[in-house]
């Protein structure tokens, strides 16, 4: 963290107009902004880096249940005096690991705090973890004489963590600061989802065709479905589209690097393995010879490659791969494959068929019969 002696700063901290809110106009300006950022109904508010407690007092006066945290014992002492009689609790502690003993809150509030920590992105993840579903993170930050955090960095960091992120410029409101300012000052309000969004891993699978044959790889040393045959496959990485991911995986696993125009969508499947979470699998078709001769580039994960007729596939396959290839051969293009928890990972000729074909719509304006 930035090395500032906040105990030494405590005695004069409230002299800044936006710190002590001693000017009625400045206090009213902050109260108005805070009213728009906080819930209307009484809520549990965690004020991190609360300083002498000026914003915490505004929140408490609006009926919120406030817990303040500050690293400086002197700041905490002054905040406790200011908040006396409101029911607020003020604790000495590090804002990067607040001493709240597993509690969660409706609001986490921090003003001019994030810029002093060493890893703002990690701290934001920690703060969001303290929110209840539907909670909000309220940040007031800025850049002063080259010091601080630009809004773009904060908004970008919160994007994957929140359902909605609102950026509100504050530099153009002199009432907040007791004077006109020309540097970057802003608020960011991030809202988490009221209920967690459903998220799934996205897989990509290669159907490499050599006439009527398809290439399969025998898994080994992975800890999952080892000894069974499966098509070359992998996961989409952050920032990739599914076609790019397929080309990358093909190059990594079997040394084939097809051009994008040689990659065709064969089938899309939502799959759930036994006892696991659902995932989406995109199966792509590539003709033999497009991108080079296949060979085993990952002998630590694959014991060998082999060609097999599509109309006479082996039984010792991963069940969802077999289901996908059977559907592909039948001309089906959209599939749900939902294992029961006690189903085997391996295909069983006598086992229950879990694949459900989802028929596509017909031409525009019609419904397929």
């Amino acid at each position: 963290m930035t090395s500032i002696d906040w105990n030494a700063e405590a005695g004069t901290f409230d002299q800044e107009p936006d710190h002590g809110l001693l000017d009625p106009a400045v206090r009213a300006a902050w109260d108005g902004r805070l009213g728009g950022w906080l819930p209307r109904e009484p809520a549990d508010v965690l004020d991190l880096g609360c300083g002498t407690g000026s914003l915490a007092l505004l929140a408490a006066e609006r009926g919120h249940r406030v817990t303040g945290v500050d690293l400086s014992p002197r700041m905490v002492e002054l905040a406790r005096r200011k908040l006396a009689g409101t029911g607020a609790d003020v604790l000495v502690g590090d804002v990067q690991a607040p001493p709240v003993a597993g509690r969660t809150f409706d609001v986490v509030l921090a003003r001019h705090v994030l810029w002093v920590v060493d890893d703002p992105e990690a701290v934001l993840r920690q703060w969001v973890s303290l929110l209840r579903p539907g909670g909000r993170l309220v940040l007031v930050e800025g850049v002063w004489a080259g010091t601080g955090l630009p809004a773009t960095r904060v908004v970008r960091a919160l994007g994957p963590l929140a359902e909605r992120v609102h950026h509100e410029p504050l530099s153009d409101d002199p009432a907040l600061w007791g004077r006109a300012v020309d540097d970057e000052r802003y608020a960011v309000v991030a809202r988490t989802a009221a209920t967690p969004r459903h998220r799934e891993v996205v897989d990509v699978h290669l159907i490499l065709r050599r006439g009527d044959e398809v290439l399969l790889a025998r898994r080994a040393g992975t800890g999952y479905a080892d000894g069974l045959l499966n098509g070359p496959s992998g996961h989409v990485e952050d920032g990739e589209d599914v076609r790019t991911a397929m080309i990358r995986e093909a190059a990594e696993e079997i040394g084939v690097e097809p051009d994008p125009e040689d990659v065709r969508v064969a089938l899309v499947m939502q799959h759930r393995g036994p006892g696991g979470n659902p995932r989406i699998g995109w199966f792509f078709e590539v003709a033999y010879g497009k991108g080079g001769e296949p060979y085993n580039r990952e002998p630590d994960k694959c014991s060998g490659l082999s060609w097999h007729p599509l109309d006479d596939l082996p039984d010792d396959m991963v069940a969802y791969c077999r289901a996908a290839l059977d559907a592909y051969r039948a001309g089906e293009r959209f599939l749900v494959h939902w294992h029961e928890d006690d189903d085997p990972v391996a295909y069983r000729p006598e086992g229950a068929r879990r694949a459900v074909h989802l028929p596509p719509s017909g031409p525009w304006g019609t419904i397929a019969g």
Side-chain angles (χ1 to χ4, degrees), residues 4-5 33 39-40 45 58 75 83 96-97 114 133 152 164 176 187 189 217 236 242 253 259 265 292 295 306 326 341:
I4 298 175
D5 187 347
R33 294 280 181 158
R40 292 183 180 180
V45 176
L58 292 181
M75 290 281 193
L83 290 158
Q96 297 178 93
L114 193 63
T152 52
R164 295 196 304 274
L176 292 169
V189 181
V236 176
V242 289
E253 295 191 11
D259 293 331
V265 177
Y295 66 98
S306 52
D326 285 344
D341 286 345

Side-chain angles (χ1 to χ4, degrees), residues 32-43:
R33 294 280 181 158
L34 206 62
W37 299 333
L38 299 182
R40 292 183 180 180
E41 299 300 320

Side-chain angles (χ1 to χ4, degrees), residues 47-279:
D47 185 358
L48 295 174
C50 65
T52 61
S54 296
L55 289 190
L57 179 59
L58 292 181
E61 288 175 345
R62 286 180 167 271
H64 298 298
R65 301 172 293 273
V66 178
T67 300
V69 175
D70 201 280
L71 190 60
S72 161
R74 179 59 178 153
M75 290 281 193
V76 168
E77 179 185 350
L78 294 173
R80 286 172 177 166
R81 291 181 190 174
K82 190 176 290 186
L83 290 158
T86 66
D89 190 16
V90 188
L91 310 172
V92 176
D94 188 347
V95 298
Q96 297 178 93
V100 292
R103 293 167 58 196
T104 56
F105 298 84
D106 301 302
V107 178
V108 172
L109 168 67
R111 181 175 66 168
H112 301 165
V113 176
L114 193 63
W115 72 279
V116 303
V117 305
D118 295 328
D119 189 345
E121 285 77 11
V123 170
L124 286 174
R125 290 192 294 272
Q126 168 66 12
W127 290 353
V128 169
S129 75
L130 298 173
L131 291 171
R132 296 167 183 157
R136 60 187 77 181
L137 177 64
V138 179
L139 304 172
V140 178
E141 288 293 337
V143 179
W144 311 271
T147 300
L149 288 173
T152 52
R153 181 176 176 184
V154 176
V155 170
R156 182 170 59 249
L158 286 171
L161 305 177
E163 184 177 49
R164 295 196 304 274
V165 180
H166 168 68
H167 166 238
E168 187 173 323
L170 301 178
S171 300
D172 58 353
D173 187 352
L176 292 169
W177 318 107
R179 63 187 185 280
V181 298
D182 58 5
D183 45 24
E184 181 185 9
R185 306 188 188 197
Y186 61 88
V188 172
V189 181
R191 297 286 298 270
T192 62
T195 56
R197 285 184 174 181
H198 178 65
R199 298 178 184 271
E200 294 188 2
V201 172
V202 179
D203 296 328
V204 288
H205 304 257
L206 175 61
I207 302 174
L208 186 62
R209 289 286 303 272
R210 189 175 71 179
D212 293 332
E213 293 181 315
V214 64
L215 183 72
L216 298 178
R218 193 169 297 278
R219 298 177 63 88
T222 69
Y224 175 79
D226 290 333
L228 298 178
L229 290 165
N230 195 50
S233 60
H235 297 163
V236 176
E237 296 181 352
D238 285 345
E240 283 186 321
D241 63 74
V242 289
R243 184 174 64 174
T244 299
M246 181 70 272
I247 294 171
R248 175 185 53 77
E249 289 287 350
E252 291 175 357
E253 295 191 11
I254 61 172
V256 170
E257 299 185 58
D259 293 331
E261 59 268 22
D262 293 324
V263 178
R264 299 285 186 269
V265 177
L267 181 140
V268 179
M269 170 194 283
Q270 187 186 34
H271 162 70
R272 176 188 181 270
N277 294 319
R279 55 185 58 221

